[in-house]
Amino acid sequence: MSRPLDEQVFADRVLNDWLDGMGLGIEYTRAEGNTLYFTDGDGQEVAVLDHVCGFGALIFGHHDPEIVEHAKSVLDRQIPVFAQLSRQSHAQDLAAMLNAILRREVPDTGPGYAAIFANSGAEAIEICMKHAELERQARVAKLVQEVDAHIEAARQALREGRATVGEDPQVRPEQSGDGLDPGEALIAEVERRNAALLARGPVYLALEHAFHGKLVASVQLTRNPVWRVPFASLGPSTVFLPPDRPEAMKAAVEGVRESLWDVVLDDGVVNAVARDYPVIGAFFVEPVQGANGMRPLTEASARAIRAVCDEVGCPLVVDEIHSGMGRTGAFFASSHMGLRGDYYTLAKSLGGGIAKNSVALFHRDRFRPEFEVIHSSTFAKDGFSGALARKVLDMLEAEGGRAYARAAERGDRLREVLESVRAEFPDVVDAVEGIGLMLGLEFTDQSQASSDPIGEPARAGTLGYVIAGYVLREHRIRVLPVGPAGNSVRFEPSVHLTDEDIARTGAALRDVCAILRHQEGHRLVR
Ligand code: 5B6
C-alpha cells in the first residue's frame, strides 16, 4: 500500500524520502572547517568529517574565520551589495587578480582575459556558449559576405557572356531541366545548400563523461543521459569525444565539420568550391573530470584538444568550476597539463563558502566588447560576493601560495591512504583517481554480488549512496558517490583536513572493503 502523502510537505518530499532510504537524511545544524554537526536524539552535537565540502566549493572549509570576519565587516561598513549599472571597481580588482594568476600559471596569455561575472557554474558555462555564438556568427557573417560577393561577380560574368560553367562544378542541381541556364542553376543550388546550412545552430564539442551544469543549454554539454536527454529538444546539439583516443577524437571532429559552398570565377570559368564553415561553437573541457571518478586529462589529451580547437578555429573553454581555485595544488588544474584555454570558467570556492559567485574569462584577442552590454544578470557582480571573492584570492595567494602547497600536500597524504586501501583490497577496489584535494576511489562492479543488499543497489546504480549512508552512520564521515553512477566515492575536502581525518577515512574505507570482500551486505543496511 502506498504511503499517504503528507499534504503539508511542500519541499523535498521525494528527495528527503530517498535520502532517508539511503541513510543520508540528516539535518546538519552547524558547520566549521572540515566538520558538519548534527544533533542526535539525546540533544548531543555529533561531529561528521565532511569529504563533500559543498561539492568542492569549500577550499577553506565551512565558515573560515577570516572569510566570516571579512563578510561581517563588508556588511558592517554598508558596502553597497547591489548598485547595478554603476562603476563597480571590485569587478576590475578581481579580474586583475585573476589575470595576474593566469600570467603566472598559463603561458602565452597575451593581452589577458576579460571577465564577465555570474551567479552559478552553469550560468558561467552558458555565458561562454553565448559568447562563442557571437564569435561564430561574426565568422559566419564574414564568410557569407565573401561568398555573396563572389556569387554576384560570377552571376554578372555569366550574364555578360564572359564566363561559362566549368565541366565539373562539384555542385550539381538536384532538379535539372527547370528552365534555368547552367550558370543560374549552379548558383541556385549553391544558395539552396548554403541557406540550409545557415539555418542550423552550432554544434558544441565536449568529452565523454563531461559535466558542465544542468541549465537548459549547459545540460546538453553534460554527458549523463538521465540529466540531458529529456531536455534535448530545448538545447543545442553536442558531440561527445573520447579524451584518451586522440585519433578517434580527430576523426569524430572531421565528421562534424561542414562546408559552405562558394562560387569562384577563374579565367572565365565558374566553379563551386567548398569552404570551411564554422559550425562548431566551442569545445568545453574539464581538466579533471568530476563525473568520471575525478580523472585528470593526460598531457597528450590536452595537446590533442588544443590542436582540435586550433584546427577548427573554435574557442577552447576550460571549465575550472570544480577543479580551479587551488584544489589541485595550482590555481588552475589545467596548468598541470599545460592546457591553455581561450575561455575559462570558475565558480564554487570563488564564493568563499558563503556567497554564490562565478566568472567566465575570455582571451582579449577573441573578446567581443559588446558582450558586456548585451549580457546581464540582476544578481551578478554584486558587492558582497565580489568582496568575498577578493578575500579568497588573497588567501590563496598569501605567503607565496601556501594554500596551493597545502592542498597538494594534504591531497598526497589522502591519496597515499586511498592507495594503501586499494593495495590491501585489490579484489574490491578498482582504482584511485584524481589530483590534490580532488580524489575518487572506484569500487569493482558489484552487480553480480552474492549478497543481495550489495547486488541490488549495485544493479540499481545506488550502491555508492548505500555505502555513503553506512560510512556516515558507522564512522561519522560524509562522502558521496559520483553522480547517479554507483561505484565511486569522491573526496573533495578543504585544506583543513588533518592527519587524524585522513587516518579515520582509511579505517572507514577498509571497513567498507571488508564488507564487500566478505559479501556481508546485511551490515550496510540497518
Ligand atoms: O554551480 P553549478 O552547479 O551550476 O555548476 C555547474 C558545473 C559544475 C561542475 O563541476 C563543472 C565542472 N561545471 C559546471 C558543478 N558540479 C556539480 C556536480 N553535481 C553532481 C555531479 C557532478 O559530477 C557534478 C551531482 N550529482 C548528483 C546529484 C547532484 C549533483
Side-chain angles (χ1 to χ4, degrees), residues 213-226:
K214 289 186 179 172
L215 295 182
V216 284
S218 52
V219 77
Q220 295 308 317
L221 304 171
T222 291
R223 180 71 185 89
N224 189 323
V226 178

Side-chain angles (χ1 to χ4, degrees), residues 55 119-125 209-215 218 222 227 285-292 319-323 345 347-348 357-358 438 465 480-484 490 492:
F55 280 156
N119 306 280
S120 71
E123 198 182 324
I125 292 290
H209 304 287
F211 189 101
H212 295 290
K214 289 186 179 172
L215 295 182
S218 52
T222 291
W227 297 330
V285 170
E286 294 156 89
V288 183
Q289 289 195 295
N292 192 15
D319 179 352
E320 294 267 11
I321 286 167
H322 202 171
S323 56
T345 52
K348 297 213 181 210
N357 201 350
S358 68
M438 209 179 167
Y465 289 99
L480 282 179
V482 174
R490 21 188 219 198
E492 37 195 340

Side-chain angles (χ1 to χ4, degrees), residues 371-395:
F371 196 75
E372 287 180 5
V373 183
I374 61 178
H375 181 84
S376 67
S377 154
T378 300
F379 290 129
K381 211 166 56 179
D382 69 283
F384 183 68
S385 62
L388 262 54
R390 272 193 298 177
K391 181 70 188 166
V392 176
L393 294 186
D394 274 341
M395 287 170 67

Side-chain angles (χ1 to χ4, degrees), residues 398-518:
E399 298 172 54
R402 209 166 63 89
Y404 306 124
R406 171 90 181 159
E409 187 273 335
R410 290 289 83 191
D412 286 350
R413 292 291 83 74
L414 180 57
R415 195 190 170 100
E416 274 169 24
V417 168
L418 302 184
E419 291 284 8
S420 75
V421 173
R422 180 164 88 121
E424 207 176 314
F425 294 90
D427 49 327
V428 295
V429 178
D430 243 355
V432 173
E433 298 284 354
I435 175 170
L437 289 172
M438 209 179 167
L439 297 170
L441 180 133
E442 200 177 314
F443 297 105
T444 52
D445 177 21
Q446 295 290 328
S447 56
Q448 304 305 317
S450 58
S451 166
D452 282 347
I454 297 174
E456 276 170 17
R459 285 188 289 281
T462 55
L463 180 61
Y465 289 99
V466 173
I467 289 174
Y470 173 80
V471 171
L472 179 58
R473 188 177 78 235
E474 297 299 326
H475 295 273
R476 299 296 180 223
I477 296 178
R478 180 168 138 90
V479 289
L480 282 179
V482 174
N487 64 346
S488 302
V489 281
R490 21 188 219 198
F491 304 87
E492 37 195 340
S494 76
V495 290
H496 299 309
L497 192 74
T498 65
D499 286 342
E500 194 210 329
D501 296 336
I502 294 172
R504 276 182 60 203
T505 306
L509 288 172
R510 285 188 173 84
D511 182 24
V512 169
C513 288
I515 290 175
L516 297 180
R517 174 178 283 175
H518 303 300

